[in-house]
Amino acid sequence: MAALLRSSPASWLGGLLAAAYLFPTAQAIYYNIDTPDQIRQSARTLAYDMMLFYKGNQSGQIPGILPGPPTEHLGDYYWWEGGAMMGTYIDYWHLTGDDSYNAVVTQGMLHQVGEDQDYQPENHTASLGNDDQGFWGMSAMLAAEVGFPDPPPDQPQWLALAQAVFNTQADPARHDEYCGGGLRWQIPRLNAGFNYKNTIANACFFNLGARLARYTGNQTYSDWANKQFDWLYNVGYIHPTEYRVFDGGHIEENCTDINKAQFSYNAALLLHGSAFMYNYTDGTPEQDKWKNRIDKLLWSIKRDFFPDGIAFEMPCEGHGGCSPDMLSFKGYVHRWLAVVSQIAWYKRTEILDLLAGSTKAAVAQCTGGETGRRCGFYWSKGVYVDPAVDKTSGAGEAMNVLAAVSSLLIEETKPPHTNETGGTSKGDYAAGTHTTIKEPLRPITAGDRAGAAILTILILASGMGMFGYMSFGD
Ligand SMILES: *[C@@H]1O[C@H](CO)[C@@H](O)[C@H](O)[C@H]1NC(C)=O
Ligand SMILES: *[C@@H]1O[C@H](CO)[C@@H](O)[C@H](O)[C@H]1NC(C)=O
Ligand SMILES: *[C@@H]1O[C@H](CO)[C@@H](O)[C@H](O)[C@H]1NC(C)=O
Ligand SMILES: *[C@@H]1O[C@H](CO)[C@@H](O)[C@H](O)[C@H]1NC(C)=O
Ligand SMILES: *[C@@H]1O[C@H](CO)[C@@H](O)[C@H](O)[C@H]1NC(C)=O
Ligand SMILES: *[C@@H]1O[C@H](CO)[C@@H](O)[C@H](O)[C@H]1NC(C)=O
């Protein structure tokens, strides 16, 4: 995944958006979310509609993925977003109790484990980043934490899959001294972006370390979580006082050429992992450090990504330049914040209030399509904007609202398990330790090179300036 690599410029979008705002048609709100029953009913409909984007359980289709990848003209969605979708439905089951999609999720999660059972399938090496692998790993971790039904015994188990992803990323072969540490974005060395060390790749690894530490109590994981957070801070990807979280930098510049684009999921993933560390270090002198990070990150997220209390993808939304990747970030932010409210108890009321207000705005714009209940991306304006204006089919937009609505039930649900408090998934400390870094099977194509060139150009432009050419009312 690459927020920067895959932006979708659409200069004509501004005009369309402006028109939509100028002439809003009054539409009845379809989704009610005032009571738990209404929330469950709304979530059920949203889950049904979202599933219509998924073809993975139809005959001849590939389980686990949304239509794509775009580089092969197969659809809008990269491999990682299938993993994110599986996580959204794992949470959906946990939050609502509706198991209608569990079989689909289990099939998808297991089909994509890859040849070595570590979420690095050969099919996807051509765009395999540590973050792409990390998203699948985090969905496996989530399955272990919420007690999602275990796979058959002859299949890899949720906890072991999360450990496998962690172990491949902790492998010395994946670490070097450029920039004083940190993972690179891409895994295969021939991939465009192998020279970029970015926040999301390291935030995924940090997050898995924090959660495995809390789940198993094993210090190896918490050592890594500490190391990763410290690196992100020291290299300057986290602003020292404002806690804005930036995108990344290049090894040729020792990561000092920081691209200052801020995406909501980077900050939210660091907050979520910090909350696991805070909970894990409860009663120790270490806890204060994590509390401080939670305080700063939540403050920063509210300031930058919830203006007026409504989720807003700041670097691209105001300019109509969000890529399909970016169009799915709001849902993760809502889901992760909801979990923070369970394990950093002192933030509970503040977070629940925030999510309630933002979700109200989310459903208010779901008035589109023939059903009168399709969702768009632009929550703040209260008006449905057809996802086609962003040149997507709308899976991310649908997933965001599903995530936000089901997360309203967080108060009724159990906090993430540890292996001492009900977690039963079988782990394997050695999982993922026998894999080799894979290189792409096919030669680098012209398309990949074009991707690399676009990335370079975007990185050379300044963080905010990079979207500047998509002027808003032309
Ligand atoms: C795919 O899953 C959906 C949701 O569970 C279900 O409605 C549909 O019948 C399934 N399709 C096939 C071909 O199994
Ligand atoms: C890899 O691609 C082949 C051919 O499209 C497909 O049959 C298979 O299911 C894919 N495997 C994964 C894990 O996506
Ligand atoms: C490279 O960056 C790291 C991390 O910021 C720093 O510790 C190191 O001193 C830098 N190396 C050089 C040669 O500037
Ligand atoms: C949890 O995992 C730790 C570390 O592997 C182990 O020492 C402990 O016995 C486990 N607890 C349970 C209840 O399985
Ligand atoms: C840690 O998480 C548990 C839920 O597993 C919660 O009850 C507890 O309050 C959390 N601890 C703190 C200090 O917030
Ligand atoms: C802790 O985790 C590490 C890394 O996976 C593993 O090598 C070690 O055996 C584990 N320790 C215990 C006590 O289970």
Side-chain angles (χ1 to χ4, degrees), residues 424-435:
T424 56
S425 184
K426 216 167 156 310
D428 175 4
Y429 279 114
T433 53
H434 303 296
T435 47

Side-chain angles (χ1 to χ4, degrees), residues 61-63 65 79 111-114 121 123-124:
Q61 301 284 331
I62 302 174
I65 58 170
W79 175 68
H111 190 81
Q112 293 299 330
V113 297
N123 279 4
H124 296 285

Side-chain angles (χ1 to χ4, degrees), residues 48 51 54-59 99-104 107:
Y48 177 88
M51 212 23 102
Y54 180 74
K55 311 290 176 212
N57 69 336
Q58 297 175 5
S59 78
D99 64 3
S100 306
Y101 306 104
N102 285 15
V104 171
Q107 182 197 34

Side-chain angles (χ1 to χ4, degrees), residues 14-238:
L16 281 180
L17 286 179
Y21 300 150
L22 281 175
F23 308 107
T25 20
Q27 296 270 11
I29 291 183
Y30 186 90
Y31 292 110
N32 294 312
I33 52 170
D34 294 330
T35 67
D37 279 342
Q38 288 179 351
I39 294 168
R40 265 185 291 275
Q41 183 53 45
S42 293
R44 181 183 284 268
T45 306
L46 288 159
Y48 177 88
D49 283 359
M50 167 70 215
M51 212 23 102
L52 299 175
F53 292 98
Y54 180 74
K55 311 290 176 212
N57 69 336
Q58 297 175 5
S59 78
Q61 301 284 331
I62 302 174
I65 58 170
L66 282 163
T71 40
E72 290 165 34
H73 307 291
L74 293 171
D76 296 336
Y77 306 101
Y78 284 94
W79 175 68
W80 75 275
E81 200 162 334
M85 175 186 163
M86 297 300 134
T88 304
Y89 278 86
I90 291 168
D91 264 341
Y92 170 75
W93 165 76
H94 174 58
L95 290 156
T96 65
D98 177 10
D99 64 3
S100 306
Y101 306 104
N102 285 15
V104 171
V105 170
T106 300
Q107 182 197 34
M109 286 291 291
L110 294 178
H111 190 81
Q112 293 299 330
V113 297
E115 297 72 14
D116 297 319
Q117 308 191 337
D118 56 5
Y119 288 115
Q120 305 183 89
E122 294 200 359
N123 279 4
H124 296 285
T125 32
S127 67
L128 186 66
N130 282 296
D131 50 350
D132 303 66
Q133 184 197 19
F135 260 85
W136 284 94
M138 291 191 295
S139 290
M141 189 70 225
L142 176 65
E145 287 165 348
V146 301
F148 194 74
D150 290 329
D154 62 336
Q155 297 286 315
Q157 302 297 303
W158 306 133
L159 180 60
L161 285 166
Q163 288 171 311
V165 171
F166 178 90
N167 284 337
T168 59
Q169 299 194 347
D171 192 294
R174 220 167 270 194
H175 295 262
D176 57 54
E177 280 313 307
Y178 291 104
C179 315
L183 287 171
R184 294 168 184 248
W185 170 34
Q186 288 296 307
I187 298 168
R189 59 188 58 239
L190 292 178
N191 283 12
F194 184 68
N195 61 343
Y196 192 54
K197 288 197 172 178
N198 61 353
T199 297
I200 189 61
N202 288 281
C204 288
F205 181 45
F206 158 71
N207 186 275
L208 271 178
R211 294 162 73 176
L212 284 167
R214 180 174 173 277
Y215 191 97
T216 66
N218 180 320
Q219 198 191 332
T220 306
Y221 299 125
S222 55
D223 287 349
W224 272 109
N226 271 297
K227 189 172 159 170
Q228 289 300 296
F229 197 102
D230 289 345
W231 179 76
L232 284 164
Y233 187 88
N234 291 332
V235 80
Y237 292 179
I238 301 171

